[in-house]
Amino acid sequence: MTLVAGVDSSTQSCTIVVRDADTGRLVRSGSAKHPDGTEVDPAAWWDAFRDAAESAGGLADVAAISVAGQQHGMVALDVDGAVVRPALLWNDTRSATAATDLIRDLGGQRAWAEAVGSVPVASFTASKLRWLRDHEPDNAARVAAVALPHDWLSWRIAGHGPDGGSTLDALVTDRSEASGTGYWSPRDGDYRQDLLDLALGREVRLPRVLDPAESVLARGSDVLADGAFVGAGAGDNAAAALALDMRPGDVAVSIGTSGVVSAVSAAPTADPSGKVAGFADATGAYLPLACTLNASRVLDAACRLLGVDHDRLSDLALAAPPGADGLTLVPYLDGERTPNRPDATGTLHGLQLATTTPEHLARAAVEGMLCGLADALDALRAHDVPVTRLLLIGGGARSEAVRRIAPQVFGMPVEVPESGEYVADGAARQAAWALSGAAEPPAWESATAPAVHDVPAEPHIRERYAEVRDLAP
């Protein structure tokens, strides 16, 4: 049996699955935590990867591996391959003003949408590089190469790094990750040096963009066997789409640390409003995506406020009527990305004596989070992205209240696949694809049969949310 591994190096943890390359059957798995924070020393990712690999029984017998990771984060390297400063993660909003400056310098949001399919926000690597240039000029001057978290980890897994005869030429990435930088065009399939100049002010080395099934060979690694394949990897949402075998018309609503609404599309998108990011996917197609900063953490916050666990929060929410009798939460607890309001705060509207109950607050939290995701779904529809099937995934989808209230908010049935490590599984499927050399990814038997939730829409929920959404400070 030939084995492949998939890695999900997320904001919160590193998860590794080892699967049969031919059938996709899970053989073993392991995981390890990442530190909290919006900036992290990449060494923590390497340590977590090694711990997760040990937890998974080692990777010496794996023929190919691919890494999927959190998008956008900025890993700045010096000429020796050493990390210049802790990596700024996607959810670090200090670069919001830098994003505004980039938009102004190129001539507006439309110019950016036409150039790379997306308008910069604080999350994007280009914005973080501009912040570095403006706020840490000494560090900016040391930068010789820029990578994303998945790029850097793949590089280390392949046997490179400052303590192993580093070569910056060995840095590689894929289309999905490159498309989230703000200086690579999914439509043209190439870097835009002029946009990198706007961000950092000069030329630096960037990872080579591999084709979806392309790979490099590991050498001198103490984790993999010499000659093992290291796949192109992918962004987390692109990897999940690959695991779910998403096709045009399929839309994934992922409720994790962030909320992500993404769809596979045969054509690139370019949204001048900036609500929809025109990313690439992991197969050669496109992945238009709208992201909210506030997703499962809204439920976490409601649990803290009410002093309950998530199961009890779900019970409370389902005990209140649809619309929570007018109690409406606009959950911009960490600012927001869709809409682009990095300094916004959350607000609670419609508070009356009758709605000061745990049930009403729990219901308002679930509905508010889902209304934000429904706004993101509307943004995709506005750009002619077909929406025929909704897949509800991520940690938040484990909530019975979320599953039952989602169709009421979205106005259509939702399918909830069996819980799984979709990002790591997508990376493993990509690793098997790279190993096979085939034109298409392997047709693994799906282990994620969906349960369909179909209840009547409750349009007044979103109507009330729309009335108060823009009142948030």
Side-chain angles (χ1 to χ4, degrees):
M1 178 171 58
T2 302
L3 300 179
V4 294
V7 181
D8 174 11
S9 184
S10 73
T11 313
Q12 299 173 325
S13 62
C14 179
T15 299
I16 299 175
V17 298
V18 178
R19 292 187 173 272
D20 183 327
D22 295 324
T23 67
R25 182 180 66 85
L26 180 65
V27 176
R28 57 184 192 265
S29 63
S31 64
K33 294 291 292 181
H34 284 160
D36 292 331
T38 63
E39 66 172 36
V40 174
D41 184 342
W45 301 331
W46 179 242
D47 291 341
F49 167 76
R50 291 170 63 90
D51 289 345
E54 182 177 356
S55 174
L59 301 177
D61 56 349
V62 165
I65 188 171
S66 281
V67 179
Q70 52 179 305
Q71 283 192 278
H72 307 308
M74 179 193 73
V75 183
L77 303 175
D78 67 14
V79 291
D80 297 318
V83 174
V84 170
R85 67 158 345 270
L88 298 184
L89 306 188
W90 64 273
N91 56 349
D92 191 304
T93 59
R94 74 184 74 178
S95 49
T97 299
T100 301
D101 293 343
L102 287 172
I103 293 168
R104 178 202 62 213
D105 289 353
L106 193 64
Q109 295 189 172
R110 182 171 297 277
W112 277 96
E114 292 174 351
V116 291
S118 302
V119 178
V121 293
S123 301
F124 282 25
T125 315
S127 304
K128 299 183 186 305
L129 287 172
R130 180 63 173 259
W131 179 89
L132 185 71
R133 189 195 81 176
D134 293 344
H135 292 269
E136 297 181 358
D138 290 344
N139 280 335
R142 291 177 54 206
V143 177
V146 179
L148 302 184
H150 130 247
D151 311 338
W152 183 86
L153 188 56
S154 296
W155 184 65
R156 291 301 312 269
I157 291 170
H160 304 284
D163 55 352
S166 169
T167 169
L168 299 178
D169 290 341
L171 286 165
V172 295
T173 191
D174 86 304
R175 297 172 67 255
S176 68
E177 285 280 64
S179 65
T181 61
Y183 43 80
W184 187 86
S185 167
R187 181 193 61 210
D188 301 332
D190 206 355
Y191 285 114
R192 288 285 301 264
Q193 181 60 46
D194 58 326
L195 303 183
L196 182 62
D197 289 343
L198 282 181
L200 189 60
R202 59 188 177 84
E203 185 173 347
V204 293
R205 185 167 299 283
L206 300 173
R208 179 167 60 95
V209 181
L210 301 181
D211 291 334
E214 195 175 353
S215 62
V216 296
L217 293 178
R219 59 114 176 122
S221 171
D222 62 351
V223 180
L224 296 178
D226 283 353
F229 291 88
V230 179
D236 46 7
N237 297 295
L242 187 59
L244 294 166
D245 199 24
M246 286 173 56
R247 307 296 173 90
D250 293 342
V251 178
V253 179
S254 177
I255 306 175
T257 304
S258 61
V260 176
V261 181
S262 58
V264 173
S265 173
T269 57
D271 178 11
S273 77
K275 292 179 180 178
V276 176
F279 296 153
D281 83 339
T283 70
Y286 302 91
L287 195 78
L289 178 153
C291 178
T292 67
L293 287 181
N294 299 281
S296 63
R297 287 184 296 182
V298 177
L299 306 181
D300 295 340
C303 286
R304 289 195 299 273
L305 282 172
L306 295 173
V308 298
D309 62 16
H310 282 275
D311 288 340
R312 180 59 180 155
L313 183 75
S314 178
D315 292 340
L316 290 170
L318 291 173
D325 291 323
L327 187 65
T328 303
L329 175 67
V330 180
Y332 299 165
L333 307 183
D334 251 343
E336 192 45 81
R337 172 168 163 175
T338 303
N340 184 26
R341 300 181 61 186
D343 299 319
T345 57
T347 54
L348 190 64
H349 299 268
L351 194 62
Q352 299 176 319
L353 287 175
T355 58
T356 58
T357 71
E359 290 82 1
H360 285 85
L361 182 58
R363 181 90 189 198
V366 174
E367 290 181 349
M369 179 195 69
L370 289 170
C371 282
L373 292 166
D375 284 349
L377 181 62
D378 284 349
L380 263 64
R381 286 192 175 107
H383 288 272
D384 299 322
V385 175
V387 180
T388 57
R389 186 170 71 127
L390 283 184
L391 299 166
L392 198 65
I393 63 174
R398 299 190 185 106
S399 164
E400 181 67 18
V402 169
R403 295 194 296 267
R404 289 172 56 182
I405 296 172
Q408 297 176 330
V409 173
F410 293 134
M412 63 184 293
V414 298
E415 298 185 13
V416 185
E418 293 176 9
S419 181
E421 298 293 348
Y422 306 118
V423 176
D425 289 345
R429 190 178 182 211
Q430 185 192 59
W433 189 10
L435 190 63
S436 72
E440 300 288 338
W444 286 355
E445 182 178 351
S446 175
T448 57
V452 179
H453 293 258
D454 186 8
V455 298
E458 298 282 355
H460 67 284
I461 297 174
R462 292 201 63 201
E463 290 168 1
R464 170 62 177 161
Y465 184 82
E467 290 174 1
V468 300
R469 174 183 52 214
D470 295 330
L471 300 178

